[in-house]
Amino acid sequence: MKYDVIIIGSGLGGLECAHILSKAGMSVLLLERGTQAGGCLQSYRRNGLSFDTGFHYVGGLDEGQSLHSAFRHLGLLRLPWQRMDAHFDRVTIGNRTFAFAQGYEEFVDTLAAEFPRERGALGRYAEMLKQSGEQQLDALNPQAGELLHSHRLFETGAYPYLTETFQDSLLINVLSGTSLKMELRKESLPLFTFAHGNGSFIESSWRLKGDGSLIVRSLVDDIRMHGGEIVCNAEVRELVEKDGKLVRAVCADGESYEGDVFISNVHPAVTCSWVKQSERMKKVYRNRMARLENTFGMFTVSLRIKPRMLRYFNWNQYVYKRPDVWTFYLGDGAVSGVLVSCRLPEDGSEYTQQVDLLTPMMWSKCGAWSDTKVGRRGDEYKAMKRRVADECVMLAEQFIPGLWNMVTGCYVSTPLTYRDYTLTPEGSAYGLRKDFNHPMTTLLSPRTPIPNLFLTGQNLMLHGLHGVTMTTLFTCAEILGKERIWDIVKN
């Protein structure tokens, strides 16, 4: 059988592309190398509890907000979402705590109460966040042209913008303090990435009553209902080109699948390696993809909490020892910045059973074990994990005193874990590093030199649940046309 579209990789971008295209009436095949679909939305079970691997909250789901229409089309609004507290993110720096409020006016008022001299600058900042979200959607308008790639926010550095806009260095740290969901890097992070990573959550913030696999199962069920096929344990080894176009995907087990259009939700450098011979994909393009740098990975500590020991808190808590939010992860000392996230109780209880702790981890800190596989990394690696986990918990205890005494299970993952399970080079948490100094080379289009091969996922323009969904729409617009996608976004 020949398919209209073959999609490789069943992370969120691949699943959403498969959903949109199969719903549009195309015959779709989704190939996944692992045993289950989901990428970083997968969950795993330990002693009767499920734990997330990369999903904690999402923004912009209210009607009229940036993600509402897309999620409605994808059938994801039917999932059990719960709005987070009005102060959905709280940032502790040293001995002071600051709150991020839902709603742009409330956001400004809350922080202006702490920094009254910065009220005007906070208002301008909030307006910039709001406009950046609107421009993401407007770029899908058939009348808009290629706005996304020419917008000034791509060419502006986030850190220079903050230092030019605000006088108070502590406020700059506070505004950046919820940004463990991206790679804060002074010399490269575009303002567009920073704005996207913060704006949608200020619109409205939501947790899921359950793990990220609810999203996966919902998309998978719909894809199959629309006639799409999903094949797991199908590791693509080659994409075969004929007369300047791809014609089939060949898997490790010898199976071959023919298609008219191919979409890769896998890292661009890996995708290029599958195209063994090509008239279209020249060496210069392959080398460019191979040279692009990856963002850092994450060290994650998932804690199982004793019954009735810790009351559920309906916000995310960020804890930093010092006002060095942009650089704390670069040193060799103990962990000094951590995100504390709480799983929403599924049984209606006021007590939680799970807490996740996340902190950045550079590849260099686990590169010594880069040639090893899961479960076979040795005692030194285990000791490193225990030490860093201890440091994360000790820092989190500034917010939850006595946390260690509440724990009955501790499960740790590093960038190596993510690399082995998701085929992400260096275990990158947020895909390829975007650089405002080189926007045209680090912000990738869904198009490739091969006319029927497209890219999707966090390596292109945006990352995270919100960002990948936006990127998915751009990929699908290349196949269905902007008019069809604009209807999804605006209706």
Side-chain angles (χ1 to χ4, degrees):
M1 177 179 175
K2 186 176 183 180
Y3 297 89
D4 293 330
V5 184
I6 294 178
I7 301 169
I8 305 163
S10 70
L12 180 64
L15 288 170
E16 289 184 332
C17 281
H19 188 288
I20 292 170
L21 298 175
S22 62
K23 189 173 182 177
M26 304 185 82
S27 60
V28 173
L29 172 67
L30 180 57
L31 300 175
E32 166 57 44
R33 69 186 283 268
T35 58
Q36 61 179 321
C40 283
L41 284 176
Q42 294 179 50
S43 60
Y44 63 93
R45 297 191 70 83
R46 293 290 186 274
N47 298 318
L49 287 182
S50 66
F51 293 86
D52 278 308
T53 56
F55 168 69
H56 293 91
Y57 68 143
V58 67
L61 294 188
D62 260 346
E63 188 167 358
Q65 293 181 351
S66 56
L67 204 55
H68 183 272
S69 293
F71 263 36
R72 182 178 59 196
H73 186 82
L74 291 163
L76 296 176
L77 289 182
R78 65 189 175 218
L79 297 179
W81 298 102
Q82 175 169 303
R83 184 186 285 272
M84 297 172 70
D85 279 4
H87 291 171
F88 66 98
D89 275 348
R90 305 179 192 190
V91 181
T92 296
I93 299 177
N95 59 2
R96 294 185 65 185
T97 297
F98 307 87
F100 279 38
Q102 296 188 48
Y104 288 109
E105 291 184 11
E106 293 81 0
F107 170 80
V108 172
D109 288 343
T110 301
L111 286 177
E114 300 284 348
F115 302 93
R117 294 183 179 180
E118 298 278 23
R119 175 175 283 276
L122 283 165
R124 294 190 295 275
Y125 172 76
E127 185 62 26
M128 182 275 296
L129 295 180
K130 184 177 180 181
Q131 289 181 3
S132 72
E134 293 170 349
Q135 287 157 357
Q136 291 171 42
L137 297 177
D138 287 343
L140 287 163
N141 189 329
Q143 308 303 319
E146 298 292 335
L147 289 179
L148 197 65
H149 284 287
S150 61
H151 196 269
R152 66 178 180 82
L153 295 187
F154 281 127
E155 300 174 351
T156 302
Y159 189 75
Y161 167 84
L162 292 171
T163 56
E164 291 168 7
T165 302
F166 300 101
Q167 301 299 311
D168 194 312
S169 61
L170 178 58
L171 177 56
I172 293 172
N173 276 274
V174 171
L175 292 173
S176 308
T178 66
S179 297
L180 286 182
K181 48 186 178 282
M182 68 186 77
E183 182 187 64
L184 290 182
R185 199 164 182 263
K186 292 181 178 180
E187 59 269 34
S188 60
L189 183 67
L191 181 57
F192 182 83
T193 306
F194 185 85
H196 165 263
N198 287 287
S200 65
F201 295 98
I202 296 171
E203 285 185 312
S204 63
S205 287
W206 306 78
R207 276 189 179 145
L208 192 56
K209 193 173 184 179
D211 57 46
S213 66
L214 291 177
I215 298 173
V216 176
R217 287 198 297 270
S218 176
L219 292 170
V220 165
D221 289 346
D222 280 2
I223 291 165
R224 288 174 172 154
M225 181 181 69
H226 299 148
E229 297 180 40
I230 300 172
V231 179
C232 292
N233 296 307
E235 182 179 356
V236 171
R237 289 286 181 85
E238 184 176 3
L239 295 174
V240 179
E241 180 183 310
K242 183 179 180 181
D243 298 328
K245 289 187 176 183
L246 296 184
V247 293
R248 68 179 181 272
V250 181
C251 294
D253 60 3
E255 290 289 334
S256 181
Y257 303 93
E258 295 185 357
D260 290 324
V261 173
F262 294 77
I263 299 174
S264 176
N265 188 43
V266 180
H267 194 284
V270 176
T271 303
C272 289
S273 72
W274 291 333
V275 185
K276 308 298 183 184
Q277 296 181 337
S278 175
E279 300 173 7
R280 299 274 192 163
M281 187 178 284
K282 304 299 184 183
K283 186 176 180 180
V284 62
Y285 181 83
R286 296 173 186 268
N287 289 341
R288 176 192 161 202
M289 294 300 104
R291 286 196 302 267
L292 291 173
E293 297 178 341
N294 298 295
T295 51
F296 58 44
M298 298 299 289
F299 185 93
T300 303
V301 184
S302 295
L303 301 175
R304 182 188 183 107
I305 306 298
K306 296 175 184 176
R308 302 184 64 82
M309 286 291 292
L310 178 63
R311 292 184 185 276
Y312 170 71
F313 50 95
N314 198 34
W315 69 89
N316 294 306
Q317 184 72 44
Y318 296 81
V319 183
Y320 299 91
K321 288 183 180 178
R322 297 173 292 275
D324 57 355
V325 171
W326 281 78
T327 57
F328 76 92
Y329 62 89
L330 295 173
D332 294 326
V335 171
S336 60
V338 67
L339 161 60
V340 186
S341 184
C342 186
R343 170 71 75 84
L344 183 66
E346 297 176 46
D347 59 1
S349 169
E350 60 181 300
Y351 293 90
T352 188
Q353 289 185 278
Q354 295 173 233
V355 169
D356 283 345
L357 311 178
L358 289 84
T359 194
M361 175 169 273
M362 305 295 286
W363 182 249
S364 59
K365 293 186 178 180
C366 53
W369 301 279
S370 61
D371 293 332
T372 64
K373 296 298 181 183
V374 173
R376 299 182 180 180
R377 305 202 200 277
D379 291 339
E380 289 186 7
Y381 177 75
K382 292 178 182 178
M384 181 273 288
K385 290 201 300 181
R386 285 193 297 269
R387 173 179 56 79
V388 179
D390 284 343
E391 293 169 359
C392 288
V393 174
M394 288 177 63
L395 187 56
E397 286 187 321
Q398 293 187 23
F399 166 58
I400 308 175
L403 177 59
W404 254 140
N405 294 329
M406 305 177 187
V407 173
T408 60
C410 177
Y411 314 105
V412 175
S413 61
T414 74
L416 283 165
T417 317
Y418 288 93
R419 180 203 65 177
D420 288 352
Y421 279 108
T422 66
L423 201 63
T424 304
E426 299 180 354
S428 169
Y430 308 119
L432 291 171
R433 178 176 293 145
K434 314 304 186 290
D435 189 340
F436 71 88
N437 300 292
H438 306 287
M440 297 305 293
T441 56
T442 59
L443 290 160
L444 303 184
S445 165
R447 303 169 191 153
T448 73
I450 302 175
N452 67 333
L453 171 61
F454 300 93
L455 304 175
T456 200
Q458 67 174 4
N459 291 293
L460 272 65
M461 294 170 282
L462 298 165
H463 64 265
L465 199 66
H466 189 291
V468 168
T469 300
M470 292 296 106
T471 300
T472 294
L473 296 174
F474 280 92
T475 300
C476 290
E478 297 290 340
I479 297 165
L480 296 176
K482 273 191 174 183
E483 291 80 4
R484 298 275 294 274
I485 302 302
W486 185 242
D487 285 341
I488 294 173
V489 169
K490 301 306 291 184
N491 294 324

